Amino acid sequence: MIDPSLPLQTAIFSALTSSGALPVVVGGRVYDEPPQNAATPYVSLGDCQVLPDKAACIDGSECFPIVDVWSTYKGYAEAKTIAAAILAKLDDKPENLSVAGFDVVVFEVNTYQPLRDPDGVSRRVRL
């Protein structure tokens, strides 16, 4: 199995930082590793589980990347608005992802989880 997680992360980053992909409030703040005291809102690209998907004629993989939206806006409105933009850009749209060395056959968001951060201020939507 060849690990597609880094080229997939690169493709997700490119898709989310393309013109008009996210609301202007994000200001291009899409991170692999958010800087210390990063201004909110921002999007972080998290862990990615990769499972082999082999058959007689293919050597494929299933990937489960995590994308988190972070906001300190009171309530969930800002985080959910940003998450909706990510869904609009990526969910069921494999054509929006150019993954070097791989063909994206299906790209579906299978988790949508709004969360209150233990800090009592931040809101997160995990996709």
Side-chain angles (χ1 to χ4, degrees), residues 4 9-10 12-13 15 20 25 32 40-41 43 45 47 57 60 70 86-87 92 95 104 116 118-119:
Q9 178 180 322
T10 301
I12 292 171
F13 178 85
V25 295
D32 174 12
T40 61
V43 175
L45 307 177
D47 299 334
C57 61
W70 296 90
I86 294 170
L87 291 172
D92 288 325
E95 66 276 6
V104 180
R116 294 179 195 275
D119 70 5

Side-chain angles (χ1 to χ4, degrees), residues 22 25-26 29-35 38-46 66-83 86 113-127:
L22 294 175
V25 295
V26 175
R29 292 184 300 275
V30 178
Y31 304 114
D32 174 12
E33 179 67 30
T40 61
Y42 66 85
V43 175
S44 64
L45 307 177
I66 294 174
V67 176
D68 285 310
V69 175
W70 296 90
S71 172
T72 53
Y73 185 84
K74 189 173 177 98
Y76 282 105
E78 184 176 66
K80 288 182 176 184
T81 299
I82 296 165
I86 294 170
Q113 186 179 17
L115 300 162
R116 294 179 195 275
D117 198 65
D119 70 5
V121 176
S122 301
R123 299 292 187 267
R124 174 173 56 161
V125 178
R126 173 159 279 189
L127 302 167

